[in-house]
């Protein structure tokens, strides 16, 4: 009589060790050998868990999730299993399932720092910043030297507008791990945002020493070297990016633009990829940086100039005006104009900026688009079109003025700001800052060619830079045919 084959002499520790060594095929073969002779679901469950880990690490999320779910069907009291299954579901974009599993894991073990941390990452993905903050703070409370949790807490505080607390998070993380690249990058961004460019450059230099292929760090270092007047160092950074960045990537576009800027080449406009990349990581700190540190007040100034017209508009036209906020950014002007507008839409190239604008809740619609492309596609007319601190990225304005004139209602207004140094002697020029300056005579000529009537030309300081005011103008024009 044949006897049943004995269960293989194999422990879970053996499988775990093989996975740790990176021998995924060997670990998988051992698990399958065990399954060949063991039918009991409860005994197979731990090996299903490890097969889930093997498939997840190998990039086969669907198979990994199936194994995790088979393991959990036998044991839902193991927080490590729940956490690992949640991470697989999150990677597979099954966000609600992942959230449910993380919450279940934390109910079983509220002191599991890694579950708190991973749950915080998920809540960041959902833009639940307060929830993410609580999750990272819990992770740190249960594991005080959790450097990655400190970095993500700092990132979350930026989104919550608590920028003053962020630097401490990054520095604490670096005290734990001086080579933690995300902490160095976060610290560099905080310092450069405060105008402390030399210190920020040291953070970026540390990154490229750790990882010479870190394209973003080279670009950030380039900006810092430009800010302190080290043009040779900036050129070296741009050339390094061109050597390592993928062809036709936004990084390559940014580096070529910077080299053109430093070489004094005549550029008609700033490439869209440059603008998108510039603002991708700035949304959380943009308002505080622009308003509090740079003294930016164009939205308020523009509303002051338009308030009488906006107030009278409903009585004259029978309804409040429709408003198109070109280059709306985080929505600073939208917040000012919303009370006067029957309809308010915003247009911007940066998805991260639009997300912040959406959070204000003041726009009826938001569009991710280049300005000219949006105006070309648009079919509705607007009573007011604005562009606050936006034309600094456009350069030549002939096309934009022509498109605005087509989209403005008769009697509608076009209101915007420009940067214009007092010694400017050309229509338009790219400044060393990477922004375009325009001469007011050029603006007046374009307006006349487009059929606009001048209402206001107000000299003003646009913002501060390196402690000095940046000169410019606020313009308000009226479309022909108004009342």
């Amino acid at each position: 009589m044949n006897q049943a084959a004995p269960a293989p002499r194999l422990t879970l520790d053996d499988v775990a060790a093989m996975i740790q060594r990176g021998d995924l095929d060997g670990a998988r073969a051992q698990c399958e050998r065990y399954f060949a002779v063991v039918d009991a679901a409860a005994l197979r469950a731990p090996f299903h868990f490890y097969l889930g880990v093997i498939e997840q690490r190998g990039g086969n999320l669907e198979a990994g999730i199936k194994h995790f779910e088979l393991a959990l069907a036998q044991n839902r009291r193991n927080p490590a299993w729940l956490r690992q299954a949640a991470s697989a579901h999150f990677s597979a974009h099954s966000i609600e399932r992942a959230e449910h599993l993380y919450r279940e894991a934390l109910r079983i073990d509220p002191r599991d720092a890694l579950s708190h941390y991973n749950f915080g990452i998920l809540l960041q993905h959902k833009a639940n910043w307060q929830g993410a903050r609580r999750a990272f703070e819990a992770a740190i409370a249960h594991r005080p030297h959790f450097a990655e949790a400190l970095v993500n807490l700092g990132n979350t505080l930026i989104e919550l507008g608590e920028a003053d607390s962020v630097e401490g998070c990054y520095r604490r993380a670096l005290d734990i791990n001086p080579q933690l690249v995300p902490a160095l990058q976060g610290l560099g961004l905080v310092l450069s945002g405060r105008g402390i460019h030399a210190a920020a450059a040291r953070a970026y230099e540390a990154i490229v020493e750790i990882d010479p292929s870190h394209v973003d760090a080279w670009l950030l270092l380039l900006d810092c070297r430009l800010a302190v007047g080290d043009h040779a160092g900036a050129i070296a950074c741009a050339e390094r990016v061109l050597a390592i960045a993928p062809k036709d990537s936004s990084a390559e576009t940014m580096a070529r633009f910077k080299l053109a800027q430093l070489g004094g080449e005549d550029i008609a406009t700033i490439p869209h990829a440059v603008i998108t990349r510039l603002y991708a990581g700035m949304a959380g700190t943009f308002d505080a940086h622009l308003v509090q540190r740079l003294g930016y007040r164009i939205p308020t100034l523009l509303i002051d100039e338009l308030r009488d017209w906006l107030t009278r508009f409903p009585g004259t036209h029978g309804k409040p005006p429709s408003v198109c906020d070109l280059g709306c950014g985080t929505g600073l002007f939208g917040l000012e104009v919303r009370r006067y507008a029957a309809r308010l839409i915003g247009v911007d190239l940066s998805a991260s900026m639009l997300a912040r604008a959406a959070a204000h809740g003041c726009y009826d619609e938001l569009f991710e688009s280049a300005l000219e492309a949006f105006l070309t596609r648009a079919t509705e007319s607007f009573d007011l079109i604005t562009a606050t601190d936006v034309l600094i990225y456009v350069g030549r304005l002939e096309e934009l003025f022509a498109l605005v004139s087509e989209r403005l209602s008769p009697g509608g207004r076009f209101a915007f700001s420009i940067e214009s140094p007092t010694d400017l002697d050309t229509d338009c020029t790219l400044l060393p800052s990477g922004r375009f300056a325009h001469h007011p005579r050029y603006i007046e000529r374009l307006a006349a060619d487009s059929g606009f009537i001048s209402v206001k030309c107000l000299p003003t300081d646009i913002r501060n830079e390196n402690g000095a005011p940046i000169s410019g103008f606020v313009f308000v024009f009226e479309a022909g045919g108004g009342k």
Side-chain angles (χ1 to χ4, degrees):
M1 180 176 178
N2 293 332
Q3 293 183 336
R9 296 176 61 82
L10 175 69
T11 69
L12 292 171
D13 288 343
D14 294 328
V15 177
M18 296 177 80
I19 295 172
Q20 186 68 28
R21 293 196 303 269
D23 183 9
L24 299 184
D25 289 337
R28 182 186 293 106
Q30 291 286 32
C31 290
E32 290 171 350
R33 176 170 167 252
Y34 186 89
F35 285 166
V37 294
V38 176
D39 291 328
L43 294 176
R44 292 162 68 104
F47 292 90
H48 274 301
F49 170 76
Y50 277 117
L51 276 170
V53 173
I54 291 165
E55 298 296 353
Q56 184 179 12
R57 292 196 178 183
N60 192 345
L61 288 174
E62 184 177 353
I65 287 170
K66 287 180 180 177
H67 283 294
F68 287 134
E69 295 294 350
L70 286 168
L72 291 176
Q74 298 301 315
N75 181 359
R76 297 191 73 86
R77 298 295 301 170
N78 188 322
W81 291 15
L82 290 160
R83 183 206 318 131
Q84 195 70 35
S87 74
H89 277 287
F90 180 68
S91 297
H93 308 291
S94 305
I95 305 303
E96 297 310 313
R97 177 63 174 160
E99 180 171 355
H100 173 78
L101 292 171
Y102 280 133
R103 291 188 185 278
E104 197 171 345
L106 288 167
R107 278 196 296 271
I108 295 168
D109 185 4
R111 299 180 61 82
D112 182 4
L114 192 53
S115 287
H116 281 295
Y117 174 77
N118 288 350
F119 188 37
I121 299 295
L122 181 147
L123 294 173
Q124 283 182 326
H125 176 80
K126 296 181 68 174
N128 181 350
W129 304 113
Q130 287 291 0
R133 176 185 190 165
R134 290 190 294 270
F136 294 130
E137 287 175 342
I140 295 162
H142 297 303
R143 190 190 293 180
H145 297 290
F146 200 158
E148 290 82 3
L150 283 161
V151 171
N152 276 282
L153 176 59
N155 298 342
T156 301
L157 292 175
I158 289 174
E159 296 294 340
L160 289 169
E162 299 184 27
D164 291 341
S165 304
V166 172
E167 183 178 347
C169 292
Y170 296 140
R171 290 197 182 278
R172 284 172 61 195
L174 290 169
D175 286 341
I176 298 165
N177 181 359
Q179 292 196 312
L180 187 58
V181 167
L184 287 165
Q185 186 163 339
L187 179 61
L189 289 169
V190 168
L191 294 172
S192 60
R194 293 175 179 168
I196 312 173
H197 299 293
R202 289 194 290 273
Y204 301 137
E205 286 163 354
I207 294 174
V208 297
E209 184 175 343
I210 296 164
D211 180 6
S213 65
H214 199 299
V215 171
D216 284 340
W218 282 111
L219 287 170
L220 291 165
L221 180 57
L222 186 162
D223 287 333
C224 285
R225 287 179 173 171
L226 266 181
V228 299
D230 180 8
H231 286 195
I235 290 171
C237 289
E239 290 174 343
R240 179 63 180 164
V241 171
L242 291 178
I244 61 177
K247 186 172 177 57
D248 298 326
S249 65
S250 63
E252 183 194 41
T253 302
M254 175 76 83
R256 293 196 184 283
F257 169 72
K258 291 294 184 179
L259 285 173
Q261 174 188 338
L262 288 163
E265 292 184 25
D266 185 18
I267 300 171
T269 190
I270 297 178
H272 295 161
V274 171
I275 300 171
T276 302
R277 190 180 186 93
L278 175 66
Y279 286 108
M282 294 176 57
T285 57
F286 185 75
D287 291 359
H289 176 66
L290 197 60
V291 177
Q292 297 171 20
R293 294 195 174 92
L294 301 186
Y296 177 70
R297 60 190 187 95
I298 295 302
T300 302
L301 186 60
L302 205 57
I303 281 293
D304 288 343
E305 296 302 321
L306 291 168
R307 182 173 287 109
D308 182 60
W309 178 79
L310 289 167
T311 303
R312 290 187 290 103
F313 193 94
T316 306
H317 297 80
K319 60 179 179 60
S322 59
V323 181
C324 176
D325 185 8
L326 296 176
C328 63
T330 59
L332 290 174
F333 183 74
L335 288 169
E336 296 281 353
V337 79
R338 172 72 269 185
R339 74 193 72 174
Y340 303 102
R343 173 167 163 75
L344 173 61
I345 70 166
V347 183
D348 205 279
L349 270 174
S350 170
S352 57
M353 289 291 191
L354 288 170
R356 299 292 294 191
H360 289 311
C362 58
Y363 291 92
D364 296 299
E365 284 190 89
L366 290 163
F367 296 88
E368 183 180 344
S369 173
L371 309 186
E372 295 90 341
F374 171 79
L375 292 169
T376 299
R377 293 192 309 267
T379 56
E380 64 181 300
S381 294
F382 300 96
D383 302 309
L384 173 63
I385 296 178
T386 61
T388 57
D389 213 31
V390 175
L391 304 189
I392 55 174
Y393 301 117
V394 179
R396 302 300 302 187
L397 300 173
E398 283 80 0
E399 181 184 6
L400 182 67
F401 269 63
L403 290 169
V404 168
S405 70
E406 292 176 5
R407 297 270 60 86
L408 265 184
S409 304
R413 298 205 168 181
F414 180 30
F416 56 91
S417 61
I418 62 166
E419 188 170 324
S420 188
T422 55
D423 59 351
L424 183 64
D425 58 3
T426 60
D427 285 351
C428 171
T429 191
L430 183 66
L431 300 171
S433 63
R435 300 187 299 265
F436 281 103
H438 301 92
H439 200 289
R441 288 196 304 269
Y442 172 57
I443 299 298
E444 296 280 4
R445 187 172 72 249
L446 288 180
D449 291 344
S450 301
F452 291 128
I453 302 166
S454 180
V455 174
K456 190 70 155 185
C457 174
L458 177 69
T460 188
D461 293 334
I462 301 298
R463 76 186 81 77
N464 297 320
E465 189 170 281
N466 298 324
I470 299 298
S471 300
F473 292 83
V474 163
F475 283 95
V476 180
F477 291 106
E478 182 175 295
K483 296 182 181 180

